[in-house]
Amino acid sequence: MPFSKLGLSQPLVSAINEMGYQAPTAIQEKAIPVVLEGHNLLAAAQTGTGKTASFLLPVMEMLSKGETKRKKRVRALVLAPTRELVAQVEKNAASYGKNLALTTLAMYGGKDSKEQKQRLIDGVDILVATPGRLLDMMTQRAVHFDELEMLVLDEADRMLDMGFIEDINKIIDRLPVDRQNLLFSATLSDKVRFLAKTAVPNPVEIAAESNSKTEIEQWLTTVDKDKKSSLLAHLITENAWDQALIFIETKHGAAKLVEQLGKRGITAESFHSGRSQPMREQLLEEFKSGQLQFLIATGVAARGIDIEELKRVVNYDLPFPADDYIHRIGRTGRAGAKGEAISFLSKDDFKNLCMIESRLGHLIERRDIEGFAPRKPVPISILNYVPKNKREGKPDSEKKAPRKEAKPSRSPESKGRGFKSDADKPRQSRDSQAKRRPQRSDKPKDQNRREDANPWGNLKPRSGNE
Ligand code: AMP
């Protein structure tokens, strides 16, 4: 079904078409008409399902019909748990609304509040905020909600897990009663339903159809760097793997690994920006047909490879940032098929692991492979890990967050799990890497640098729900 059939008008439809969205995802098909009809909505959907567009698009459609940007007034409020998510949602809103006159503002701690205050005085149609910073601004009377039309609680379960319930209630108390409310949550737990009772009265309830990502069995194994290639060869031969997409950081590393596997009798090919376009196309065809079993790709290929029945992805190097992990593992387990995502973890990867597992909201199962135990064990992650540079300069109440820190659970049930329960499901993410990834140059001379160039050239990136 095309987006226009869902009741969205041309400015939004052309903006999303330009972004490569060809058809709505399941959650979008369900949510958009309900919101456009003016109902309150309670939606079970995790990241990766296209949930952000499923609320932003109808919100923007509705707001675009009225008078935009009224001075000192906010017309729609989106509350989200983290500054990253706030930034992503606002970025999406700005892209979807490029043909509309709506104004958007991302509000979170660590950013100069003066500028945000001025923007609020000028008027903001859609304010996306973390509860902590928003409450600060409300206390300072910098934001007015008396003309608020719509409220969205995004990733409500995560906001509750982070201890934002009091802030959320305080905020809601100060909103006009006559408003439309949307709540999105990966799980509709009792806690979420309790919040929904007051925040989202009489909602239409929907759920994203079973997400293919839930079929991905993720596990990791700790290994010293110098043992990685032999571990990979061991896994391939011991488990008689017929195919794997193996992600590695650098072009040089990819070429070296092909050679190392070759010495062990395993044929593989490298796939990166250093290879010619016809060669890359040929490799992809061979890999898709099963003629080529092992493809060693630099991270950038995570965006382009769409193979119907890819059984297995290996993170030979753990990706950075955390969203890259999500995109990489998303290459497998597509369309309901079972998939496996294996990561090699070395001691230098600890912080990276913390960020990935915090992003997922749970620990990844660890498996020991006999003969490959590292000289020093890699500790269990700190969930809700905030890197040092992000901790500094948090000026407001968010500095105290996470309020109720989710402790890494070491219970046998929480360790070593696939995605048996809803709470275990991985959170998928949108294309925000470019924003958060540190800038890297793309000098082809340096074969050791992390591969970040687009090796796709004219190859079309996949257009699915990535
Ligand atoms: P979300 O679940 O909102 O985190 O979205 C995950 C990713 O899916 C983001 O990269 C979106 O840009 C992308 N996306 C959302 N809707 C669509 C769609 N209908 N078609 C293709 N990609 C989409």
Side-chain angles (χ1 to χ4, degrees):
M1 181 193 287
F3 276 104
S4 52
K5 285 255 161 73
L6 295 179
L8 298 173
S9 53
Q10 202 46 43
L12 279 171
V13 173
S14 49
I16 51 185
N17 284 345
E18 263 177 58
M19 290 174 73
Y21 297 8
Q22 282 162 7
T25 64
I27 195 75
Q28 289 162 3
E29 247 185 70
K30 289 181 187 175
I32 294 172
V34 172
V35 182
L36 290 178
E37 279 164 19
H39 298 289
N40 281 351
L41 178 74
L42 187 57
Q46 54 180 314
T47 27
T49 54
K51 65 159 173 79
T52 313
S54 74
F55 62 77
L56 279 180
L57 294 174
V59 164
M60 298 178 87
E61 179 69 36
M62 308 242 332
L63 295 186
S64 68
K65 303 241 158 74
E67 182 198 338
T68 54
K69 195 177 159 182
R70 293 195 286 263
K71 271 204 173 274
K72 293 190 186 171
R73 295 293 174 264
V74 171
R75 300 176 60 209
L77 169 65
V78 181
L79 286 180
T82 62
R83 47 180 75 182
E84 286 79 14
L85 187 58
V86 164
Q88 281 168 9
V89 170
E90 194 270 340
K91 190 179 159 217
N92 280 21
S95 310
Y96 302 151
K98 64 181 265 228
N99 303 321
L100 298 172
L102 298 170
T103 48
T104 58
L105 174 65
M107 184 189 277
Y108 48 84
K111 255 187 152 187
D112 183 11
S113 66
K114 252 196 212 156
E115 195 197 315
Q116 295 180 353
K117 281 179 189 163
Q118 187 53 51
R119 293 281 313 277
L120 288 166
I121 291 169
D122 295 342
V124 168
D125 292 303
I126 302 171
L127 175 63
V128 190
T130 51
R133 169 53 76 102
L134 178 62
L135 205 57
D136 278 354
M137 293 293 235
M138 288 171 81
T139 313
Q140 295 175 44
R141 299 186 171 279
V143 56
H144 301 271
F145 286 125
D146 36 331
E147 288 180 25
L148 189 92
E149 296 161 45
M150 305 178 93
L151 168 71
V152 182
L153 299 171
D154 189 16
E155 299 202 359
D157 50 347
R158 215 161 150 211
M159 288 201 279
L160 296 182
D161 286 347
M162 290 171 74
F164 281 129
I165 184 67
E166 270 182 40
D167 289 357
I168 293 172
N169 282 334
K170 279 184 194 162
I171 292 166
I172 288 177
D173 275 352
R174 295 199 220 163
L175 303 181
V177 181
D178 188 16
R179 55 166 206 270
Q180 190 178 357
N181 304 285
L182 322 176
L183 184 151
F184 283 74
S185 185
T187 55
L188 295 181
S189 62
D190 290 349
K191 270 200 305 187
V192 172
R193 285 187 183 279
F194 190 75
L195 168 68
K197 244 186 193 174
T198 46
V200 190
N202 307 319
V204 172
E205 197 172 315
I206 59 169
E209 251 134 44
S210 89
N211 186 345
S212 59
K213 270 61 179 188
T214 61
E215 302 295 331
I216 304 168
E217 184 186 1
Q218 295 175 71
W219 58 275
L220 59 83
T221 186
T222 51
V223 60
D224 286 327
K225 270 188 177 163
D226 55 349
K227 293 269 182 61
K228 280 186 183 181
S229 63
S230 47
L231 171 62
L232 180 62
H234 172 83
L235 289 173
I236 289 173
T237 41
E238 278 298 297
N239 301 304
W241 285 355
D242 53 357
Q243 204 173 40
L245 174 60
I246 297 142
F247 286 107
I248 194 161
E249 288 299 279
T250 65
K251 292 186 230 180
H252 175 70
K256 195 169 151 197
L257 184 56
V258 167
E259 207 182 293
Q260 286 165 323
L261 291 177
K263 281 184 189 157
R264 293 180 166 92
I266 298 163
T267 307
E269 282 284 356
S270 63
F271 186 93
H272 52 70
S273 63
R275 308 214 74 170
S276 71
Q277 171 92 9
M279 177 52 87
R280 293 194 302 263
E281 283 176 13
Q282 187 190 325
L283 288 175
L284 207 55
E285 276 318 303
E286 287 177 8
F287 189 61
K288 278 184 179 180
S289 70
Q291 196 186 334
L292 172 63
Q293 291 178 285
F294 303 104
L295 194 62
I296 320 284
T298 50
V300 73
R303 297 313 179 107
I305 294 178
D306 188 13
I307 298 161
E308 282 289 296
E309 284 178 26
L310 180 58
K311 288 187 201 151
R312 191 169 297 102
V313 160
V314 177
N315 286 310
Y316 189 85
D317 293 320
L318 211 58
F320 171 84
D323 281 356
D324 275 5
Y325 175 84
I326 312 246
H327 284 285
R328 284 189 191 182
I329 69 166
R331 302 304 89 213
T332 182
R334 303 186 78 76
K338 286 242 182 284
E340 190 178 21
I342 302 138
S343 300
F344 290 0
L345 177 70
S346 304
K347 71 175 189 338
D348 300 349
D349 295 323
F350 178 64
K351 278 189 193 164
N352 215 350
L353 178 73
C354 290
M355 284 192 276
I356 289 170
E357 292 186 326
S358 298
R359 182 77 183 85
L360 293 171
H362 63 81
L363 303 178
I364 301 168
E365 174 188 351
R366 291 186 181 210
R367 293 186 192 168
D368 296 330
I369 308 295
E370 216 184 313
F372 291 94
R375 287 180 278 270
K376 266 188 164 181
V378 184
I380 301 289
S381 286
I382 305 153
L383 291 187
N384 282 344
Y385 175 81
V386 181
K388 220 176 185 176
N389 58 348
K390 297 214 170 171
R391 257 177 267 157
E392 285 160 5
K394 273 187 158 188
D396 56 19
S397 55
E398 280 173 55
K399 206 166 191 172
K400 286 176 254 149
R403 291 158 193 227
K404 237 191 264 163
E405 188 137 327
K407 291 202 181 78
S409 165
R410 291 168 199 232
S411 68
E413 316 85 82
S414 65
K415 278 168 73 186
R417 48 195 184 174
F419 302 114
K420 301 281 175 337
S421 74
D422 275 355
D424 287 344
K425 289 173 185 170
R427 292 164 191 278
Q428 303 295 323
S429 177
R430 60 193 59 72
D431 293 348
S432 63
Q433 278 85 334
K435 175 163 46 71
R436 275 188 268 152
R437 183 180 293 159
Q439 290 210 331
R440 284 172 242 110
S441 66
D442 182 28
K443 295 193 186 91
K445 277 165 258 154
D446 181 2
Q447 296 282 298
N448 274 317
R449 67 162 187 79
R450 202 189 124 136
E451 171 84 330
D452 190 31
N454 178 5
W456 288 93
N458 299 327
L459 276 184
K460 256 183 91 181
R462 46 176 303 279
S463 58
N465 174 23
E466 174 172 348

